Amino acid sequence: MRPIFTNATNGTDPFLVIGSVSSVTSVKSLVENLMIPKTEDLIGYKLMLAFTGHMPPARILDWIAHRPIGGFSLFRPHNYDNPAQVRELTAALQRAAREAGQAPLLIATDQEGGQLAAMGAGTTQFAGNMALGATRDPELALRVGRAIGLELAAMGVNVNYAPVLDLNTNPRNPSLGIRSFGDEPGPAAALGAAMVVGMQSAGVAATLKHFPGKGEAAVDSHYKMPVIAHSRERLDRIETPPFKAGIDAGAKLLMTGHFAIPALTGTSAYPATVARRVMTDYARGELGFEGVIITDALDMGAITQGAGQIIDVIAAVRAGVDLMLVMHDVDTQERLYGGLVLAYTRELIDESHIKPSLDRILTLKEWAAAQPQPEIDVVGCAEHRALEIELARRSITLVRDEAGLLPLRLAPDARIAAVMPAPKDLTPADTSSTITPHLASALRAHHPHVDEFVTEHLPGDTEIAALRQQLADYDLLVLGTINASMQPEQAVLANELLGLGIPTVTAALRTPYDLASYPAARTHLCTYSIQPASLDALAAALFGEFAPTGQLPVAALH
């Protein structure tokens, strides 16, 4: 590949120092005015690839050396060991791009907080969107967004696939839950816009997802295409305001949703991702979005897989989508790159589909390259840990205390049983399985005699019967559930233990709908998170260290 970004007068590297473009020609100008390859050679800029490795593998370095590329998405199981390693990885990728004469890379991840944290141990693990929804505080959301942004920027990540702006209007939505701020458009709009401002103030581009809103989905788009059967009036009134607020706040990216939206397209035959009436007419024309539109992951079941996938990708390009989020499969990466080049040479896509998109992508690259990189010691710093605790405490919600148990006043020799299910990834957009159960440890900070009982995530009859016997002599049960509203086995366990007649505190540790599955519970709280800070906050609230002030961010239990 000829160098795309070579200074025509002196041969110097225009991006020798990433983080400053003040003394170099803009990225766009370099593309427009210097040694420009044919348009089909630039199609690689429309791809965001993924790979496995804590450092760039040879295949990825070869791609960078010979083909333009938009950038890369990093994922916890494939690319993360610790913050310093990620900083080395991203530096190696950017160095390879410079040496190949390419523009700076977009490097992205899913650091949503809560159940989905693509950057793991060593980073600050915030409780997530629904916990923020319980605080109703945009200023807190701004500070959390900035902290997340600073940590990502320090690791060399310049795009975050967050915040989620879908409203969880369907309590049985299998793929959303606590990733949402709640089910009300007003608070979600204010919190989402604040997160955008905070994140981008730290030099990390925010991504609004999943446009135009999948809160009502009844199936997970990782496996099957949902159909969102709203009226246009409902869409404009409920789903759109958070996205409009995020757009008005200056969000750099918008992520497409792989679901059908007949109110905009007139059909349930294909997803919004491939619909020009959604991506261009609605997002850009009506809502005024001028940034980069990126697909959700293209390995999801809601999008055509296999050889036919290129048809959906071509349709997405024609619809006005800028970047394709391609996952790890090498054959898929090669097939889609080759297919897009062929589509251009066969005039299925043309200059009108490519040049405006490249302009937007290069504008984003230029913005990202101009951002300063914080020192690595900002990751997990004391200030961010304090903010993590603040969010956890302010989100704790007391739903009821009809039994008058709170604050707990126990005899020194009283025995507490702490019961919760083993954390599990309930969707592909989930890192909960990486979290060690922490309920008992949190309670032991306030009372010496606490025994831990971690059940199977879906406990069977034998385990439930044995647990009933084991717990019969305890003075207090603290029972945490994780999505019991959609896991009937957990609901059976909760109702069986409530039937023991022992004083019991129940806590919904993920979605707040669990109380409906065991309505006999008389003292009940919500944490919206199983992160250690949230369970520490729960324990502190139970023992009267502070009075819970969180508000339910969903109407189902109001």
Side-chain angles (χ1 to χ4, degrees):
M1 183 186 79
R2 290 175 296 169
I4 298 172
F5 301 109
T6 299
N7 189 301
T9 58
N10 59 21
T12 58
D13 181 357
F15 288 98
L16 188 61
V17 181
I18 295 297
S20 174
V21 294
S22 59
S23 61
V24 300
T25 309
S26 74
V27 174
K28 283 195 295 179
S29 295
L30 286 166
V31 172
E32 292 166 355
N33 300 322
L34 298 179
M35 299 172 60
I36 307 173
K38 293 178 293 185
T39 299
E40 61 262 34
D41 294 331
L42 292 174
I43 281 175
Y45 277 116
K46 295 184 69 63
L47 300 180
M48 290 287 287
L49 303 184
F51 61 87
T52 297
H54 289 168
M55 288 298 286
R59 181 183 67 84
I60 291 300
L61 293 176
D62 185 68
W63 186 304
I64 295 171
H66 294 95
R67 297 169 176 168
I69 180 128
F72 298 95
S73 303
L74 305 182
F75 296 94
R76 187 170 184 161
H78 305 285
N79 309 111
Y80 186 86
D81 183 40
N82 60 68
Q85 166 265 317
V86 175
R87 187 179 173 107
E88 291 179 10
L89 168 61
T90 58
L93 290 168
Q94 297 289 13
R95 183 168 56 250
R98 290 197 303 273
E99 291 171 354
Q102 291 217 39
L105 300 170
L106 301 175
I107 301 180
T109 198
D110 282 290
Q111 193 74 341
E112 292 179 7
Q115 77 179 54
L116 182 55
M119 302 286 105
T123 64
T124 307
Q125 300 293 303
F126 291 102
N129 278 8
M130 194 164 280
L132 281 166
T135 73
R136 299 289 207 281
D137 187 350
E139 189 272 338
L140 178 60
L142 187 147
R143 287 190 284 135
V144 169
R146 179 168 172 80
I148 291 172
L150 286 170
E151 297 198 1
L152 292 179
M155 292 183 282
V157 176
N158 52 33
V159 173
N160 193 13
Y161 297 143
V164 172
L165 294 184
D166 309 292
L167 297 174
N168 203 59
T169 51
N170 175 11
R172 300 194 65 78
N173 186 317
S175 64
L176 189 54
I178 58 170
R179 298 173 70 196
S180 169
F181 289 111
D183 62 9
E184 299 178 62
L191 294 165
M195 283 205 80
V196 167
V197 171
M199 205 174 297
Q200 293 188 170
S201 75
V204 172
T207 307
L208 313 178
K209 65 184 188 185
H210 306 81
F211 186 77
K214 67 171 185 177
E216 277 293 320
V219 297
D220 189 338
S221 54
H222 286 92
Y223 307 111
K224 185 178 179 181
M225 183 178 72
V227 177
I228 308 298
H230 297 322
S231 68
R232 175 59 192 267
E233 182 277 331
R234 151 72 191 249
L235 183 73
D236 290 343
R237 179 172 50 87
I238 303 296
E239 276 71 26
T240 299
F243 288 98
K244 178 59 174 168
I247 290 169
D248 291 345
K252 301 291 184 184
L253 295 97
L254 186 70
M255 180 176 283
T256 73
H258 295 331
F259 51 85
I261 184 82
L264 294 177
T265 63
T267 180
S268 59
Y270 52 78
T273 297
V274 305
R276 187 171 184 83
R277 280 174 284 187
V278 180
M279 297 303 143
T280 294
D281 298 345
Y282 191 53
R284 298 199 188 280
E286 294 192 39
L287 300 185
F289 182 65
E290 297 179 351
V292 168
I293 297 179
I294 184 171
T295 70
D296 204 346
L298 290 176
D299 66 340
M300 295 167 67
I303 288 287
T304 305
Q305 300 299 300
Q309 188 180 52
I310 187 60
I311 301 299
D312 276 353
V313 171
I314 292 169
V317 171
R318 291 174 61 92
V321 177
D322 301 305
L323 287 171
M324 310 295 143
L325 204 171
V326 187
M327 298 301 284
H328 299 78
D329 184 71
V330 176
D331 291 340
T332 300
Q333 293 176 359
E334 293 291 341
R335 183 173 65 246
L336 294 184
Y337 175 79
L340 281 174
V341 172
L342 187 61
Y344 180 81
T345 63
R346 299 300 189 266
E347 299 183 353
L348 294 175
I349 54 179
D350 59 30
E351 301 288 310
S352 68
H353 303 117
I354 301 299
K355 287 296 180 67
S357 181
L358 289 177
D359 185 72
R360 290 187 288 265
I361 293 167
L362 294 168
T363 296
L364 178 59
K365 284 174 174 272
E366 183 176 311
W367 179 87
Q371 306 306 310
Q373 185 172 27
E375 296 298 327
I376 194 65
D377 58 8
V378 76
V379 181
C381 66
E383 180 182 352
H384 292 175
R385 296 296 187 194
L387 184 59
E388 174 190 33
I389 293 168
E390 179 184 350
L391 170 59
R393 287 191 166 215
R394 291 180 59 188
S395 64
I396 299 296
T397 304
L398 177 61
V399 180
R400 66 168 63 151
D401 185 22
E402 297 171 355
L405 293 179
L406 304 183
L408 295 175
R409 295 289 185 263
L410 301 175
D413 59 348
R415 299 171 65 220
I416 301 176
V419 184
M420 69 174 287
K424 178 182 178 182
D425 295 341
L426 300 183
T427 83
D430 199 343
T431 53
S432 297
S433 64
T434 64
I435 301 174
T436 300
H438 186 71
L439 181 59
S441 297
L443 292 168
R444 286 189 196 112
H446 301 270
H447 188 80
H449 304 298
V450 180
D451 293 329
E452 180 177 57
F453 297 87
V454 178
T455 71
E456 292 295 324
H457 194 83
L458 301 178
D461 292 343
T462 301
E463 183 177 18
I464 292 172
L467 200 57
R468 276 181 57 95
Q469 287 190 328
Q470 289 176 286
L471 301 183
D473 295 329
Y474 279 85
D475 300 292
L476 177 74
L477 305 184
V478 179
L479 170 63
T481 57
I482 300 176
N483 275 30
S485 62
M486 298 178 67
Q487 314 280 340
E489 295 86 348
Q490 285 189 42
V492 170
L493 171 63
N495 285 302
E496 287 287 327
L497 296 186
L498 286 166
L500 290 173
I502 299 170
T504 300
V505 174
T506 57
L509 305 183
R510 188 153 158 160
T511 56
Y513 309 107
D514 289 6
L515 182 59
S517 300
Y518 41 84
R522 300 181 64 205
T523 300
H524 181 77
L525 301 93
C526 297
T527 68
Y528 316 99
S529 169
I530 60 170
Q531 294 290 353
S534 293
L535 299 191
D536 287 340
L538 171 66
L542 294 182
F543 282 90
E545 201 168 288
F546 68 94
T549 59
Q551 303 175 58
L552 282 170
V554 297
L557 293 176
H558 285 181

